[in-house]
Amino acid sequence: MQLAPIVGVDLRLVRESAQRIVTDGAPPPEREELVSRLRDELLPHWPDEWLTLERERWDQLRLHALEGLAERLRREGKYLDAYQTALTATQIDPIRETAQRILVEIQLAEGNRACAVKRYQEYRRLLRHELGVEPSPLMTRLVQDAISA
């Protein structure tokens, strides 16, 4: 099935770039442009039911690509780019823990322990308010280890 472009962009090219990040960890040639394109929803004003599954596929691909890119940038010490990329993922899905955890890891890598704890506390409040649940033990342990260090 051929899908229409997102805001005038060839969806196939964006998907291929995102897929390369997910499978190979290959950095895109134009990180900012790709991150900008991954921010876009798939045909957001189209009410067609057949789009539900395609939107889910697109959302998962773009979230995994953004998170993979943010992790790679963090490992390379490009903290600002990593943080902005991970923030894009949290804008797409604010309750997604992997994206939130990457933000905390970036803060810790920069030596911003207090900022990492603040990010965790904000995320914890969001989860409690929206879903009545706590962050995972992995996320909590990450922050507890930072506090006790």
Side-chain angles (χ1 to χ4, degrees):
M1 173 179 295
Q2 181 71 20
L3 297 177
I6 300 174
V7 192
V9 174
D10 186 346
L11 179 59
R12 183 182 49 78
L13 295 176
V14 175
R15 278 190 177 188
E16 287 172 3
S17 294
Q19 192 65 47
R20 277 195 302 279
I21 294 169
V22 171
T23 57
D24 307 335
E30 299 294 331
R31 183 201 65 83
E32 287 183 34
E33 183 180 336
L34 178 61
V35 170
S36 176
R37 297 302 179 211
L38 291 172
R39 184 177 289 122
D40 294 335
E41 293 179 26
L42 180 63
L43 304 171
H45 303 293
W46 288 32
D48 301 24
E49 190 174 308
W50 68 268
L51 277 171
T52 302
L53 184 57
E54 291 305 318
R55 283 189 179 117
E56 179 68 20
R57 284 187 180 125
W58 173 241
D59 287 349
Q60 288 303 307
L61 178 60
R62 65 191 182 133
L63 286 165
H64 281 270
L66 289 164
E67 290 170 354
L69 181 56
E71 287 178 334
R72 180 187 182 97
L73 291 164
R74 179 187 53 83
R75 285 192 305 270
E76 293 172 357
K78 298 175 181 173
Y79 300 127
L80 178 58
D81 289 343
Y83 202 81
Q84 290 176 344
T85 301
L87 275 176
T88 300
T90 64
Q91 288 171 332
I92 294 167
D93 188 351
I95 64 171
R96 187 174 170 92
E97 185 167 310
T98 48
Q100 295 285 348
R101 189 170 57 239
I102 293 166
L103 289 172
V104 169
E105 290 169 345
I106 294 165
Q107 294 282 7
L108 292 173
E110 288 183 299
N112 295 319
R113 229 173 26 168
C115 292
V117 171
K118 181 181 176 192
R119 165 65 59 183
Y120 170 81
Q121 289 171 340
E122 290 169 355
Y123 177 61
R124 186 176 180 202
R125 273 193 295 278
L126 174 68
L127 286 182
R128 283 179 172 174
H129 175 45
E130 294 292 322
L131 303 172
V133 299
E134 294 289 324
S136 75
L138 176 64
M139 178 82 151
T140 302
R141 194 169 35 256
L142 176 67
V143 174
Q144 286 174 341
D145 290 348
I147 292 171
S148 65

